[in-house]
């Protein structure tokens, strides 16, 4: 039953990582994604003596989870249609002036958005992104809850993550363990 409550639950379980998609899979902030999405964290936490990419990684407790310094996890918490505002800002202008006015107004909307907390999401302001849809037919302001404390929980060794030589994660059938588990934290606790 695809009612609004179901769609909201799915949206709030969906995670945007740096250049990857993922999903929350537990009530304790556990995030499932593809192996290549955690490789930079594996490399960042490897040493000359130990390659986490080659050996894999498993945190046997939360205390052993390792921080991924360059990783963020964004969750889309709200979408605001700003099409009318953009139309008003560009009404009557030639193409070049309209383009400049549009860019200026989108930047203003993002900036204002990032200073205003989203209702029901605590005091932390969102990460905001202006999104153009249908070649400028609609404009939305996407508001994300951003988690900057993301830790590696599990990643298999690269040899099993890419076993079978599949060229990408859309190949079927697949014979590899192309996965990685992360956990999002906020204020030192799992989200």
């Amino acid at each position: 039953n695809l009612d609004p409550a179901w769609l909201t639950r799915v949206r709030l379980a969906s995670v945007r990582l740096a250049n990857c998609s993922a999903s929350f899979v537990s009530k304790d902030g556990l995030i499932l994604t593809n192996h290549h999405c955690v490789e930079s964290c594996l490399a960042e936490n490897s040493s000359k003596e130990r390659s986490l990419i080659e050996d894999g990684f498993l945190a046997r407790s939360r205390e052993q989870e390792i921080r991924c310094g360059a990783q963020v996890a964004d969750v889309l918490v709200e979408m605001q249609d700003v099409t009318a505002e953009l139309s008003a800002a560009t009404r009557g202008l030639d193409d070049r002036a309209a383009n400049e006015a549009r860019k200026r107004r989108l930047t203003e909307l993002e900036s204002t958005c990032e200073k205003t907390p989203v209702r029901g999401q605590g005091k932390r302001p969102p990460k905001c992104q202006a999104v153009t849809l249908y070649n400028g037919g609609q404009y939305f302001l996407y508001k994300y809850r951003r988690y900057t404390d993301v830790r590696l929980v599990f990643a298999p060794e690269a040899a099993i993550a890419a076993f079978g030589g599949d060229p990408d994660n859309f190949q079927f059938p697949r014979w590899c363990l192309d996965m990685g588990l992360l956990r999002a934290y906020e204020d030192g606790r799992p989200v």
Side-chain angles (χ1 to χ4, degrees):
N1 185 17
L2 301 181
D3 61 8
W6 185 89
L7 292 170
T8 296
R9 193 175 112 237
V10 170
R11 177 177 43 79
L12 293 175
S14 301
V15 179
R16 180 177 73 174
L17 299 172
N19 298 318
C20 282
S21 60
S23 301
F24 280 113
V25 293
S26 82
K27 63 182 176 62
D28 297 320
L30 204 59
I31 298 170
L32 175 66
T33 191
N34 293 98
H35 188 270
H36 71 272
C37 301
V38 300
E39 281 184 343
S40 63
C41 185
L42 292 167
E44 168 190 340
N45 288 286
S46 289
S47 65
K48 190 175 184 181
E49 296 77 32
R50 182 172 178 224
S51 170
L52 297 182
I53 294 173
E54 290 179 16
D55 299 340
F57 176 79
L58 172 63
R60 296 188 183 278
S61 68
R62 289 200 181 138
E63 293 74 34
Q64 292 179 340
E65 295 173 1
I66 52 178
R67 183 100 185 240
C68 301
Q71 189 59 270
V72 295
D74 291 332
V75 177
L76 183 61
V77 294
E78 188 177 306
M79 297 170 286
Q80 179 184 350
D81 187 344
V82 293
T83 307
E85 291 184 51
L86 271 289
S87 294
T90 59
R91 189 170 292 121
L93 300 176
D94 64 46
D95 288 346
R96 185 174 179 180
N99 190 42
E100 291 302 316
R102 184 179 307 104
K103 287 193 285 189
R104 189 171 43 255
R105 185 64 186 132
L106 288 171
T107 300
E108 290 167 359
L109 288 167
E110 285 179 343
S111 178
T112 301
C113 173
E114 291 188 351
K115 296 174 186 167
T116 310
V118 175
R119 191 178 76 241
Q121 295 297 314
K123 295 179 182 177
R124 187 168 292 153
K127 175 67 181 159
C128 300
Q129 178 184 9
V131 177
T132 303
L133 302 172
Y134 311 112
N135 287 327
Q138 279 188 311
Y139 295 90
F140 274 80
L141 195 58
Y142 285 7
K143 301 175 185 182
Y144 293 92
R145 182 156 194 164
R146 173 162 280 183
Y147 300 101
T148 57
D149 185 354
V150 179
R151 302 178 195 181
L152 183 65
V153 176
F154 169 74
E157 62 271 20
I160 193 65
F163 181 78
D166 298 330
D168 61 46
N169 57 339
F170 299 104
Q171 189 78 20
F172 181 83
R174 300 192 75 210
W175 311 105
C176 59
L177 189 59
D178 180 8
M179 64 169 293
L181 289 171
L182 302 165
R183 191 180 312 274
Y185 282 79
E186 190 171 53
D187 300 325
R189 295 187 317 265
V191 300

